[in-house]
Amino acid sequence: MDGKIIHDPLHGSMKIKGLILELVKTPEFQRLRGIKQLGLAYLVFPGANHTRFEHSLGTYYVSKRLGEEVELDEYERTLLQVGALLHDIGHGPFSHTFEQIYKHYVKEYDHMHLGQNLILGKVDIIEGEVEDRRLIPEILDEYGIEPKEVADLVLGHYHKRYLGQAIHGDVDVDQLDYLMRDAHYTGVAHGIVDFERILKTLKIHEDELLVDEKGVEAVEGMMVARSLMYSRVYFHHTVKIAEGMLTRALEFALEEDHLWDFWRMNDCRVLVELEDLEGYPSEIVKRIKYRDLFKGAVLASADELSTEEKREFLNAYRNIKKRQDIERRLADAVGAREGEVIIEFSIADLMLSEPRLKSTEIGVLLHDGNIQPLTKVTPLANALKRRQTPRWAVLIASPSKYVEEIRRIWKKVIFG
């Protein structure tokens, strides 16, 4: 049989062959089987065990459907499909959990630029020898696709604006797949998206990816779904506590000069390596393994903080050393050990990890031929922009015995 048929719980049977099949076979793509799409969210939503592998295949499928609907030429269809398939190829273990660590400790990489370098063949993420291995740029060259074009597209810098928007836009193939997939696996009904309607009403007009006026309600529905999934799932405070704990364990290991190649690993390998280290990292991994998590002591909304306090927290978010210093001071004040008090920031974190959340500016092609941004066509888009997602801006967590004391003194310790 020509090609392979893959059965996907979301999109049904999809046939892959040729270039796409060759890319799926690469060790770099197969590695994504070991990286959970939602990090540690499975500790709260037991079904959330799906991986970057199936999301990447799903995104490819959505891009294939979109290319057919908007009638791209054959080269652009192929390019879009490849970009969609490889858009997450650079993700490290636990997906977005370690994003801040990349910025502070592994300065030359984040998952986007690592992905770009993998596509260009500038970096190797696979440990050890793999027999008869073919590199991604070799495969692309063989099929007449320029690796640099794919790398630019994955970063959203492609010279044809509509192709960049299809992967990194206000309504794009990545979001369409992850919202539906994450809703399916978490069992949360908020991610329901009118996928077929959106596909049928997206249009290319004057080099832009736009939505036809008839599709406005479907796009509104997608944006509501996105907003609710962020507050209900992605920034669920227990998920963030678990991710914060794991992040501190990795920071501790890096400070002790261990695990500098963590970005090459998959989820299981990172947990095993951290557990093998003595002391704090091992302790934290055991807690995560058996879901013995820290408790939320403070969940403060943005409204509860003064402008000065917000500024202080934003500085701490941008500077890991500052955040670690605040955590240390709080731990000392309540008699906890270093690493037993953690602080998470949602608003700044969202700005870094998901700038699209406030993006509601997709153009709407009106029946008279004019184009208006979505915010001018529907008040809902503006309301979603203003919606506080999630409800907490600052989260402080610790073992339960320190919770009451932290609640009493946190502002005094942090702000003096």
Side-chain angles (χ1 to χ4, degrees), residues 150-319:
V150 179
D152 288 349
L153 185 55
V154 163
L155 282 182
H157 298 332
Y158 197 65
H159 63 275
K160 287 191 174 171
R161 191 165 153 73
Y162 55 87
L163 282 180
Q165 288 170 317
I167 288 185
H168 281 288
D170 299 347
V171 178
D172 60 33
V173 294
D174 176 25
Q175 290 180 85
L176 283 169
D177 185 79
Y178 80 63
L179 287 172
M180 295 189 293
R181 193 169 296 279
D182 296 347
H184 175 85
Y185 282 102
T186 55
V188 172
H190 298 316
I192 308 296
V193 172
D194 191 347
F195 172 60
E196 292 295 334
R197 185 71 175 165
I198 289 175
L199 276 187
K200 300 275 186 227
T201 53
L202 285 172
K203 299 269 180 283
I204 293 170
H205 181 77
E206 292 176 1
D207 205 36
E208 294 264 336
L209 187 65
L210 307 170
V211 64
D212 190 277
E213 193 175 5
K214 295 196 287 280
V216 165
E217 288 83 1
V219 170
E220 285 179 322
M222 190 204 100
M223 287 173 174
V224 169
R226 183 175 67 182
S227 188
L228 293 173
M229 286 294 282
Y230 269 88
S231 45
R232 179 83 194 280
V233 177
Y234 310 140
F235 277 77
H236 188 292
H237 68 277
T238 309
V239 173
K240 278 292 157 194
I241 289 170
E243 290 179 349
M245 290 167 68
L246 190 60
T247 301
R248 302 315 180 276
L250 182 55
E251 283 174 11
F252 191 97
L254 292 168
E255 294 283 351
E256 299 285 309
D257 219 23
H258 301 293
L259 253 71
W260 276 92
D261 58 349
F262 75 89
W263 52 274
R264 292 174 185 265
M265 299 176 185
N266 65 17
D267 297 1
C268 286
R269 178 77 189 277
V270 163
L271 290 179
V272 167
E273 295 281 343
L274 286 172
E275 197 171 10
D276 281 350
L277 296 174
E278 292 301 307
Y280 180 77
S282 174
E283 231 173 88
I284 290 294
V285 170
K286 281 198 178 73
R287 275 180 169 271
I288 286 166
K289 244 165 82 172
Y290 303 116
R291 206 185 179 282
D292 178 19
L293 305 178
F294 293 171
K295 298 287 178 281
V298 175
L299 282 163
S301 72
D303 299 340
E304 293 171 57
L305 303 168
S306 69
T307 308
E308 195 46 54
E309 287 166 349
K310 281 181 197 160
R311 193 173 296 125
E312 178 86 17
F313 276 137
L314 196 58
N315 287 339
Y317 177 79
R318 287 190 178 130
N319 183 332

Side-chain angles (χ1 to χ4, degrees), residues 2-13:
D2 178 26
K4 284 195 186 317
I5 292 176
I6 294 174
H7 300 288
D8 181 69
L10 205 62
H11 303 302
S13 296

